[in-house]
Amino acid sequence: MAKVAVFGYGTVGSGAVEVMVKNAEEIAKKTGVSLEVAYILDLRDFPGDPMEDKVVHDVEVILNDPEVKVICETMGGVNPAYTFTKRALELGKSVCTSNKELVAAKGPELLEIAKANNCSYLFEASVGGGIPIIRPLLTCLTAEKIEAIQGILNGTTNYILTKMSDEGADFADVLKKAQELGYAEKDPTADVEGHDAGRKIAILSSLAMGQTVSYDDVYTEGITKITPVDFAYARALGLQIKLIAMSKMTEDGNFALVTPRLLDAKSPLACVQDVFNGILVTGNMLGDSMYYGKGAGKLATASAVVGDVIEEAKNEGRTIPVLWKAEKAAVSNYKDLSQQYLVRIAGTDEAAALAAFPGGKVVKVAEADNEFAVLTENMKECDYDAKAAGLSVISMIRM
Ligand code: HSE
């Protein structure tokens, strides 16, 4: 019997308890591991909850119980989750988490502490909710040189963009609906400005490179400026607009960025709709492989947390290896990345636009007066900037 403690009885924490209780028989049959929820740490009480007698308010009760070997940290935020996780690992207790803020900020340090204390730190649920992506990267894809990771890593923004595309709705109206449906956070800034996806691609890039890609080095642009007219241009070209978190290892450098992007309708990521997430990994031998599923939500995320609990219980007394060194990976300036651009230009001077962007394709839509757009050829963003400087650019979306 493996005694487990849960830090934080919110959405994911209560989901993890539900998965452990409901699937106890299934888990034991498949893995030989019997899990017992021994403690739940939370500031609140939960009268009437079947687990109410497991709730404690003092972390020391759990840390001082030598029988607790595995902890699910589902508190969110860097502090006090960082302090509690560090203390637990120093005592040889394995920790697994859905906390992307903490993993992005302190991942390599916590992995080192786990290694020094013969326990493990796992974080499958921190990226893509219930989608298996971290374990595939660390195990199944170890024979690969990862060349690129592109992902729809935020469910809230994908829901908003899907509705804007399907219904021609405005950003602000759909955001309100997303909040009513409980998808968006109360303060949705981290979702809509791309910070949440930025943390997730920083984690995936670090695992792909084995070194730290710092979240601060990820260039991030959100979806707040995308309008129904942008979707009209995209439709005219048979393209979709998605918020794409991208990590690319190219001859021009290693790039990590989050931006709205135009996708060919045939791209597997273009089919990822609503709150779903999708991650496309390109390896030098395998080529593309795609990981798709529920990127958020109570039970989906909890399922990934409990998968880690089982791994840690099975590996008691040893460290499950995760190659992620603290040494910082060099991240190139996003201005050196080559791509195409859909540029909206005010006025009617198509000749001047094509002189700046030779080989570009002019697009016009009924939804916009006194403007047109050009889909450019492939070029570095610094070269695009130089060419666009002489034009009356309304907005630009990368492809
Ligand atoms: N706010 C996040 C999302 C939750 O919408 O994807 C999952 O990390």
Side-chain angles (χ1 to χ4, degrees):
M1 181 72 74
K3 278 194 170 187
V4 181
V6 177
F7 287 1
Y9 201 43
T11 306
V12 182
S14 60
V17 171
E18 190 174 331
V19 172
M20 283 189 268
V21 171
K22 270 199 182 153
N23 280 1
E25 212 175 296
E26 185 71 23
I27 292 168
K29 195 167 74 185
K30 267 196 203 135
T31 67
V33 174
S34 296
L35 302 174
E36 181 201 338
V37 180
Y39 300 101
I40 292 165
L41 177 74
D42 206 288
L43 291 172
R44 300 162 292 180
D45 286 310
F46 297 89
D49 187 287
M51 289 284 158
E52 71 169 307
D53 59 328
K54 308 283 184 191
V55 176
V56 296
H57 305 301
D58 181 1
V59 71
E60 300 303 327
V61 176
I62 299 168
L63 296 176
N64 290 330
D65 184 340
E67 287 187 22
V68 172
K69 300 290 186 201
V70 180
I71 288 164
C72 303
E73 184 274 293
T74 48
M75 305 171 74
V78 174
N79 274 311
Y82 168 59
T83 320
F84 293 175
T85 300
K86 199 171 157 186
R87 290 274 319 281
L89 294 172
E90 282 165 352
L91 291 164
K93 299 179 193 298
S94 290
V95 179
C96 57
T97 189
S98 55
N99 185 342
K100 58 239 167 179
E101 290 99 331
L102 181 58
V103 176
K106 303 279 182 190
E109 181 191 333
L110 294 170
L111 286 166
E112 269 306 306
I113 299 172
K115 199 170 163 195
N117 292 282
N118 299 318
C119 57
S120 302
Y121 184 56
L122 298 180
F123 40 88
E124 180 64 65
S126 66
V127 179
I131 305 172
I133 178 60
I134 290 182
R135 199 161 291 119
L137 271 179
L138 291 173
T139 56
C140 322
L141 298 177
T142 42
E144 292 292 318
K145 181 179 186 311
I146 304 296
E147 294 176 337
I149 301 174
Q150 295 170 79
I152 294 172
L153 297 180
N154 182 271
T156 302
T157 44
N158 202 48
Y159 171 82
I160 294 171
L161 292 176
T162 303
K163 291 290 169 232
M164 287 178 78
S165 173
D166 292 354
E167 296 167 10
D170 272 319
F171 170 79
D173 295 339
V174 194
L175 172 60
K176 206 161 153 259
K177 194 159 173 217
Q179 280 173 310
E180 279 162 17
L181 287 167
Y183 296 149
E185 314 282 333
K186 232 184 233 155
D187 173 5
T189 315
D191 292 316
V192 298
E193 296 295 356
H195 305 151
D196 177 75
R199 288 194 186 93
K200 291 168 177 168
I201 199 68
I203 295 170
L204 294 183
S205 310
S206 300
L207 295 174
M209 293 186 204
Q211 293 183 329
T212 299
V213 172
S214 167
Y215 165 63
D216 299 331
D217 292 337
V218 177
Y219 173 73
T220 303
E221 232 177 75
I223 63 163
T224 53
K225 297 191 180 83
I226 303 289
T227 67
V229 174
D230 294 320
F231 279 99
Y233 282 114
R235 254 193 315 277
L237 289 160
L239 303 171
Q240 291 276 350
I241 303 174
K242 296 286 186 188
L243 183 68
I244 299 294
M246 177 189 276
S247 179
K248 261 197 165 171
M249 284 52 100
T250 74
E251 283 175 3
D252 294 325
N254 298 329
F255 298 92
L257 62 163
V258 178
T259 58
R261 267 181 198 275
L262 294 155
L263 298 184
D264 191 287
K266 286 190 193 133
S267 157
L269 288 173
C271 309
V272 177
Q273 304 282 22
D274 295 316
V275 286
F276 280 80
N277 282 193
I279 305 145
L280 189 65
V281 179
T282 310
N284 66 335
M285 297 292 143
L286 169 66
D288 288 345
S289 57
M290 170 93 168
Y291 308 82
Y292 168 85
K294 283 188 185 161
K298 178 174 169 164
L299 292 177
T301 309
S303 171
V305 173
V306 178
D308 281 350
V309 171
I310 295 163
E311 272 313 290
E312 292 183 340
K314 278 179 11 192
N315 286 280
E316 195 193 318
R318 68 177 283 270
T319 305
I320 299 165
V322 177
L323 176 64
W324 178 356
K325 293 191 183 134
E327 190 186 330
K328 271 188 93 171
V331 177
S332 307
N333 189 326
Y334 72 98
K335 293 282 180 190
D336 286 329
L337 183 65
S338 286
Q339 61 224 320
Q340 289 177 274
Y341 308 84
L342 180 68
V343 200
R344 281 173 59 190
I345 299 163
T348 54
D349 195 350
E350 293 171 29
L354 288 175
F357 298 116
K361 182 177 174 178
V362 172
V363 199
K364 289 185 207 161
V365 292
E367 288 83 348
D369 286 334
N370 197 33
E371 66 163 269
F372 61 98
V374 175
L375 182 63
T376 74
E377 304 265 84
N378 213 54
M379 69 188 82
K380 284 189 179 180
E381 190 158 331
C382 50
D383 296 330
Y384 160 80
D385 286 344
K387 289 168 191 284
L391 303 169
S392 302
V393 172
I394 299 168
S395 64
M396 172 275 273
I397 303 179
R398 299 163 185 87
M399 180 157 171

